[in-house]
C-alpha cells in the first residue's frame, strides 16, 4: 500500500513522499551532500530507520512514528553524537493525543481531503472492534 500512502502524502502538502529505497538518491540530487534537516519514518522497519538516519544533516531530527517499532535502535551512541542527531519517537496513539486539536481545526476548515483517508466506519456499539483493528495495523 506504499504507493497509495505516498500519493496521499502529496495531496496533504508533502513536498515529496518517497519510498526509502529512492530517498537517498533523491536527497543527493538536491542537498550537495549536506543532508536534510528532518526525516519522518512511519514504517517501523530497521532498514528504513537506518536510511532515515543516513539522510540527516548534522543537527537533524529523525522522527519515528510507528506502532511497530523495532526492538532496538540500530545506531550506536557514537553515530548519534557525530551528527548531533535529535530523535523523536511515538506511535499513532501519541500522535493523536498531541495533534488532535490541530487536526480538528484542519478538518473543519476543509483544508485537506480527509474523507480519502477514512478506511472504516464503525458504530459506537462496536468501539472495541475499532480499537482492535487499530492495534493490529503496523
Amino acid at each position: 500500500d506504499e504507493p497509495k500512502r505516498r500519493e496521499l502524502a502529496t495531496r496533504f502538502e508533502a513536498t515529496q513522499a518517497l519510498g526509502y529505497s529512492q530517498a537517498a538518491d533523491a536527497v543527493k540530487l538536491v542537498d550537495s551532500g549536506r543532508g536534510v534537516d528532518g526525516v519522518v519514518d512511519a514504517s517501523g522497519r530497521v532498514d528504513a530507520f537506518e536510511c532515515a538516519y543516513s539522510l540527516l544533516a548534522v543537527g537533524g531530527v529523525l522522527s519515528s512514528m510507528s506502532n511497530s517499532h523495532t526492538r532496538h535502535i540500530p545506531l550506536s551512541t557514537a553515530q548519534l553524537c557525530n551528527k548531533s542527531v535529535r530523535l523523536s519517537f511515538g506511535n499513532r496513539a501519541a500522535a493523536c493525543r498531541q495533534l488532535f486539536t490541530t487536526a480538528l481545526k484542519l478538518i473543519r476548515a476543509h483544508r485537506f481531503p480527509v474523507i480519502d483517508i477514512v478506511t472504516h466506519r464503525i458504530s459506537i456499539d462496536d468501539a472495541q472492534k475499532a480499537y482492535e483493528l487499530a492495534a493490529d495495523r503496523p
Side-chain angles (χ1 to χ4, degrees):
D1 222 16
E2 289 300 314
K4 182 178 179 184
R5 288 180 182 183
R6 287 194 298 275
E7 188 270 329
L8 278 172
T10 58
R11 291 180 60 204
F12 280 76
E13 298 186 3
T15 315
Q16 286 190 341
L18 304 170
Y20 73 93
S21 62
Q22 302 164 308
D25 291 335
V27 167
K28 287 176 188 173
L29 290 173
V30 297
D31 78 343
S32 303
R34 179 187 167 281
V36 297
D37 296 324
V39 178
V40 175
D41 169 32
S43 72
R45 296 174 52 163
V46 173
D47 49 357
F49 187 91
E50 290 172 328
C51 177
Y53 170 82
S54 75
L55 300 175
L56 289 174
V58 171
V61 177
L62 195 165
S63 180
S64 181
M65 301 296 292
S66 174
N67 276 358
S68 58
H69 287 292
T70 60
R71 291 191 179 119
H72 68 281
I73 298 172
L75 301 171
S76 69
T77 52
Q79 287 174 292
L80 297 170
C81 289
N82 286 340
K83 280 192 176 184
S84 189
V85 168
R86 289 174 285 152
L87 299 175
S88 171
F89 290 93
N91 59 22
R92 276 187 232 129
C96 288
R97 285 190 301 274
Q98 181 181 8
L99 301 173
F100 188 75
T101 303
T102 302
L104 281 179
K105 288 177 186 175
L106 292 172
I107 290 168
R108 288 183 183 130
H110 302 285
R111 181 163 173 198
F112 297 110
V114 177
I115 195 69
D116 293 347
I117 61 173
V118 173
T119 59
H120 296 76
R121 292 181 187 269
I122 299 172
S123 76
I124 194 70
D125 296 330
D126 292 326
Q128 183 60 41
K129 178 182 173 185
Y131 280 107
E132 291 167 3
L133 283 169
D136 290 342
R137 291 194 57 195

